[in-house]
C-alpha cells in the first residue's frame, strides 16, 4: 500500500497530462468518500434527533429544540472559523474560482461537513449538494496546490471537485459534469472536460458502493401518454417558473433582515431556527433535505393520496424554510429544495388536471419530474444540468422532449424577470461582480 501511494505521489509531482488525469481519479475517490461521509453524518445526527424526540415524547414540537441547536452549531463554526462554513457553498466556490485563482482553504472542509450534518440532521431545511460541491472543490484546490499544477489545471480540478460532489450526491455523473461546466466554470472549454468527467464518474461510483441507493434520490421510469400532454407540460412550465421566481425573490429579500447589533447576533440562529421549526410542525415535509418525500412523489401511483392544494402549501413552506435556514446561519444548499419545490408543484398540477377534467391518463410522476427540471432551471439558470439530472434519475428517454421544453422556457423567463440566479444573489448583496470567463 505504501509503495502504491509513493508511486501515485511521484506521478502527481511530474505535472504532465498523465499526472493530471491521475489527479482527477484521486480527486474522484476523495469526493466519493466525502459524499458518503456527509450522507452518513446527516443520518447519524438525524438518528440522535429522533432518539431525543422519542425520549421527550414531544412529537413534532421537538423541532423547536433541535433545529435551533443544529443551526447554532453551524453559525458558531462560521463565526469562529469562517466565513464560508454557513450558507450553500456553490457561491463561495465560484468566488474562489474567479477571484482567488482557484484557492479554497483546506481547513474549512471538516467544519463545513459538521455544520451541514448538524443543520440538516436536526431538521434544518436545505440540500447537502451545495455543501458537498464546496467540499469537493476544496479537495480539488488542495490537491492542485499539492501537485503544483498551473493555474488553468487548478481551475479544472476545482470545478471537477464541485461537479463530482453533485454527481456523487445523485449518482448522476453526467449532470455533475454539466453543473461544473455551466455553473462553476461558466465555460464548456474542452481543456477542462477530461478532469471533470473522470472525477464525476469515479466519485459517483465510489459513493454508490459505499452508501448504496437508500441515500440517493431515485425514480421509476416515467412516461408521456397522449401527445396532447405536451400542452399541459407547457402550462406546468409557466407555473413552475412563477414558483421558481418566487423562490428567487425570497432568497433575495429575506436574508437582508438580520440582527445588526453585534452583541445580539447569537440570537439569529435561535430565532430563525424556531421559525423553521414552527413551520415544520404544520408541514414536516418542508424540513430536512426532502429526499424521502420527493421519492414518494416520484413513485406515486395513486394521485388520490394527496390533495393538490396540500402540495402547493408544501412547496411554499419549503421555499420559506430553506431560505430561513440559510439566513439563520445554517449550512444548506438550494439544489435539493428546488427539486422538492418543483416536484411538489408538478404533482399538484397533475392532480388538479385529473380532478378538473376527469382525465385519468395524466401520470403524476411525469409531471413531478418536469416540474423539478423547470424550477431548478429557473433558480440556477442551468438548463442542461436540469434536463440531464432528471433524465439520469428516471433512466428513460420518454420525457426528454417535455424536459427540454420546460428547461428552455424556464431559463428564458428566468432571465427575463430575475437577472440573478440563486448562486449570484449573495454576491449582489455584497456588491461583488464575478469576471466573465
Amino acid at each position: 500500500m505504501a509503495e502504491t501511494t509513493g508511486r501515485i505521489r511521484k506521478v502527481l509531482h511530474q505535472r504532465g497530462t498523465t499526472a493530471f488525469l491521475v489527479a482527477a481519479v484521486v480527486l474522484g475517490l476523495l469526493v466519493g468518500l466525502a459524499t458518503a461521509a456527509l450522507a452518513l453524518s446527516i443520518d447519524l445526527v438525524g438518528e440522535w434527533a429522533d432518539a431525543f424526540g422519542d425520549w421527550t415524547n414531544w412529537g413534532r414540537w421537538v423541532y423547536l429544540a433541535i433545529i435551533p441547536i443544529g443551526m447554532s452549531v453551524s453559525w458558531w463554526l462560521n463565526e469562529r472559523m469562517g466565513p464560508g462554513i454557513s450558507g450553500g457553498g456553490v457561491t463561495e466556490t465560484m468566488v474562489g474560482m474567479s477571484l482567488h485563482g482557484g484557492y479554497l482553504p483546506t481547513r474549512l472542509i471538516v467544519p463545513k461537513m459538521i455544520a451541514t450534518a448538524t443543520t440538516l440532521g436536526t431538521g434544518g431545511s436545505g440540500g447537502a449538494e451545495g455543501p458537498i460541491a464546496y467540499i469537493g472543490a476544496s479537495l480539488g484546490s488542495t490537491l492542485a496546490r499539492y501537485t503544483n499544477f498551473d493555474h488553468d489545471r487548478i481551475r479544472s480540478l476545482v470545478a471537477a471537485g464541485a461537479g463530482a460532489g453533485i454527481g456523487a450526491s445523485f449518482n448522476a455523473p453526467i449532470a455533475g459534469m454539466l453543473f461544473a461546466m455551466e455553473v462553476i466554470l461558466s465555460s464548456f472549454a474542452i481543456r477542462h472536460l477530461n478532469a471533470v468527467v473522470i472525477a464525476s464518474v469515479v466519485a459517483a461510483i465510489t459513493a454508490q458502493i459505499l452508501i448504496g441507493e437508500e441515500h440517493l434520490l431515485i425514480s421509476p421510469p416515467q412516461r408521456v401518454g397522449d401527445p396532447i400532454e405536451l400542452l399541459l407540460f407547457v402550462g406546468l412550465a409557466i407555473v413552475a417558473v412563477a414558483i421558481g421566481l418566487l423562490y428567487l425573490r425570497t432568497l433575495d429579500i429575506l436574508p437582508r433582515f438580520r440582527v445588526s447589533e453585534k452583541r445580539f447576533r447569537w440570537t439569529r440562529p435561535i430565532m430563525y431556527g424556531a421559525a423553521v421549526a414552527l413551520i415544520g410542525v404544520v408541514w414536516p415535509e418542508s424540513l430536512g433535505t426532502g429526499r424521502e418525500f420527493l421519492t414518494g412523489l416520484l413513485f406515486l401511483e395513486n394521485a388520490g393520496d394527496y390533495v393538490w392544494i396540500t402540495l402547493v402549501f408544501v412547496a411554499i413552506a419549503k421555499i420559506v424554510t430553506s431560505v430561513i435556514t440559510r439566513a439563520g446561519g445554517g449550512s444548506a444548499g438550494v439544489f435539493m429544495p428546488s427539486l422538492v419545490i418543483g416536484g411538489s408543484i408538478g404533482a399538484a398540477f397533475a392532480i388538479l388536471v385529473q380532478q378538473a377534467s376527469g382525465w385519468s391518463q395524466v401520470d403524476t410522476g411525469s409531471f413531478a419530474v418536469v416540474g423539478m427540471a423547470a424550477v431548478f432551471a429557473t433558480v440556477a439558470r442551468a438548463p442542461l444540468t436540469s434536463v440531464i439530472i432528471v433524465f439520469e434519475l428516471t433512466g428513460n428517454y420518454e420525457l426528454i422532449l417535455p424536459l427540454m421544453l420546460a428547461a428552455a422556457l424556464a431559463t428564458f423567463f428566468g432571465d427575463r424577470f430575475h437577472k440573478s440566479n440563486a448562486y449570484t444573489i449573495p454576491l449582489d448583496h455584497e456588491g461583488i461582480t464575478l469576471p466573465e470567463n
Side-chain angles (χ1 to χ4, degrees):
M1 182 66 180
E3 184 179 352
T4 302
T5 304
R7 289 178 179 175
I8 293 175
R9 184 176 300 173
K10 183 178 179 180
V11 171
L12 289 176
H13 278 294
Q14 291 175 354
R15 299 194 296 277
T17 301
T18 301
F20 183 56
L21 297 181
V22 170
V25 173
V26 173
L27 176 59
L29 287 170
L30 293 174
V31 175
L33 290 169
T35 302
L38 181 58
L40 295 174
S41 298
I42 293 171
D43 280 0
L44 180 60
V45 174
E47 290 175 5
W48 289 344
D50 290 342
F52 179 73
D54 293 340
W55 177 65
T56 58
N57 200 27
W58 288 352
R60 293 180 184 176
W61 293 103
V62 74
Y63 296 139
L64 280 169
I66 61 175
I67 293 178
I69 292 174
M71 288 176 57
S72 294
V73 170
S74 176
W75 175 87
W76 182 84
L77 287 170
N78 190 71
E79 289 290 304
R80 290 293 179 269
M81 305 182 67
I85 294 174
S86 63
V90 173
T91 301
E92 292 79 5
T93 301
M94 293 165 62
V95 170
M97 173 75 77
S98 298
L99 301 182
H100 303 301
Y103 174 78
L104 292 167
T106 308
R107 64 182 178 82
L108 297 186
I109 292 175
V110 173
K112 182 69 172 177
M113 191 171 295
I114 295 172
T116 305
T118 56
T119 298
L120 300 179
T122 56
S125 180
E129 295 74 29
I132 195 60
Y134 178 80
I135 291 169
S138 298
L139 289 170
S141 177
T142 301
L143 186 61
R145 296 196 304 272
Y146 171 78
T147 50
N148 295 320
F149 283 121
D150 59 42
H151 175 70
D152 206 46
R153 287 183 169 177
I154 290 175
R155 287 170 51 83
S156 294
L157 287 177
V158 171
I166 298 295
S169 297
F170 292 104
N171 192 29
I174 301 176
M177 173 198 74
L178 289 173
F179 183 85
M181 308 296 276
E182 275 191 300
V183 177
I184 305 299
L185 283 168
S186 297
S187 168
F188 285 88
I190 299 298
R191 66 184 185 276
H192 299 300
L193 196 59
N194 286 342
V196 174
V197 170
I198 291 172
S200 295
V201 171
V202 173
I205 293 172
T206 303
Q208 187 177 28
I209 290 173
L210 293 175
I211 60 178
E213 290 190 349
E214 64 271 14
H215 290 86
L216 301 172
L217 179 65
I218 55 176
S219 169
Q222 307 292 348
R223 62 179 178 82
V224 178
D226 196 302
I228 199 172
E229 286 187 18
L230 285 176
L231 296 177
L232 295 177
F233 284 121
V234 172
L236 169 60
I238 294 172
V239 174
V241 168
I243 294 295
L245 291 172
L246 175 63
Y247 191 15
L248 287 174
R249 290 298 298 166
T250 309
L251 282 167
D252 196 7
I253 294 172
L254 190 57
R256 297 178 187 271
F257 298 97
R258 295 183 174 180
V259 179
S260 57
E261 191 68 35
K262 187 172 183 179
R263 65 177 178 272
F264 295 125
R265 287 171 60 191
W266 62 270
T267 64
R268 180 155 54 97
I270 297 174
M271 293 188 301
Y272 283 42
V276 172
L278 288 173
I279 296 172
V281 169
V282 182
W283 291 289
E285 300 89 350
S286 67
L287 299 181
T289 64
R291 175 180 54 83
E292 293 182 0
F293 168 71
L294 183 55
T295 299
L297 285 182
L298 297 176
F299 279 89
L300 188 62
E301 295 180 358
N302 181 12
D305 291 345
Y306 286 100
V307 178
W308 70 270
I309 193 64
T310 301
L311 292 174
V312 173
F313 281 131
V314 168
I316 294 174
K318 189 66 177 178
I319 289 174
V320 176
T321 55
S322 64
V323 174
I324 293 176
T325 297
R326 287 164 59 91
S331 175
V334 300
F335 200 129
M336 193 64 183
S338 299
L339 299 184
V340 173
I341 294 161
S344 300
I345 291 299
F349 186 91
I351 292 170
L352 182 59
V353 168
Q354 289 181 18
Q355 293 176 350
S357 66
W359 190 12
S360 60
Q361 299 291 326
V362 176
D363 182 61
T364 308
S366 298
F367 280 79
V369 297
V370 173
M372 290 161 57
V375 170
F376 181 69
T378 305
V379 169
R381 306 296 153 74
L384 292 178
T385 303
S386 65
V387 169
I388 295 301
I389 194 167
V390 176
F391 165 70
E392 287 189 281
L393 290 175
T394 58
N396 68 334
Y397 284 96
E398 280 201 50
L399 283 181
I400 197 69
L401 185 57
L403 285 173
M404 293 173 63
L405 182 62
L409 289 172
T411 304
F412 173 77
F413 285 114
D415 282 334
R416 174 81 174 170
F417 294 106
H418 200 289
K419 291 298 183 183
S420 299
N421 60 48
Y423 303 124
T424 59
I425 284 175
L427 301 179
D428 295 340
H429 293 174
E430 301 294 332
I432 298 173
T433 301
L434 299 181
E436 295 186 5
N437 293 315

